[in-house]
Amino acid sequence: QVQLVESGGGSVQAGGSLRLSCAASGSTYSTYYSTLCMGWFRQAPGKEREGVAGIASHGSTTYADSVKGRFTISQDNAKNTLYLQMNSLEPEDTAMYYCAASSFTYCYTGLISRENYNYWGQGTQVAVSS
């Protein structure tokens, strides 16, 4: 079991930046084996939850085409924290952003696939105005 808590959301104008954080907590054992992969997903009103960026424990990353070149996912293993640096934000990026973690050993095969994640945070809202 691992608990995930997101922070860093807010309201910005188009072209601005935000950095989201996700703190993972639990026992050292459970945190390690529950975070083989971690990812960021988002859900806009009336839309399906979609994968934004994911990172495997060995460091490989995947990004959705819509955010490539603008968003960067990273993690600080010492702090058990996941980050999403979002630059050049667009109104289309407006959504609730969720942090996710996976204990599935095959999670690296689909780092931004919802079905590969079994732990979820409560979300943090991002609003981008034009």
Side-chain angles (χ1 to χ4, degrees):
Q1 286 282 350
V2 65
Q3 291 76 47
L4 305 173
V5 178
E6 303 96 335
S7 61
S11 298
V12 295
Q13 290 190 327
S17 297
L18 283 173
R19 188 176 81 154
L20 305 183
S21 299
C22 171
S25 63
S27 68
T28 301
Y29 178 91
S30 62
T31 301
Y32 177 82
Y33 286 103
S34 297
T35 57
L36 299 181
C37 298
M38 295 194 76
W40 289 98
F41 292 75
R42 67 186 181 187
Q43 188 168 16
K47 294 189 176 182
E48 293 285 321
R49 190 173 298 188
E50 63 175 357
V52 175
I55 185 167
S57 57
H58 56 260
S60 63
T61 59
T62 298
Y63 294 91
D65 288 343
S66 59
V67 307
K68 281 180 181 176
R70 300 189 298 123
F71 291 10
T72 302
I73 189 170
S74 62
Q75 58 187 11
D76 184 333
N77 291 326
K79 296 181 178 179
N80 289 330
T81 302
L82 180 74
Y83 302 100
L84 185 68
Q85 178 67 43
M86 304 186 296
N87 298 328
S88 302
L89 283 162
E90 303 169 352
E92 292 75 22
D93 297 317
T94 296
M96 184 72 80
Y97 282 71
Y98 298 90
C99 173
S102 176
S103 61
F104 301 142
T105 55
Y106 55 81
C107 62
Y108 68 93
T109 63
L111 289 174
I112 53 173
S113 297
R114 288 177 56 184
E115 61 268 22
N116 284 356
Y117 288 86
N118 51 338
Y119 297 105
W120 295 86
Q122 294 300 307
T124 185
Q125 182 68 45
V126 171
V128 184
S129 59
S130 58

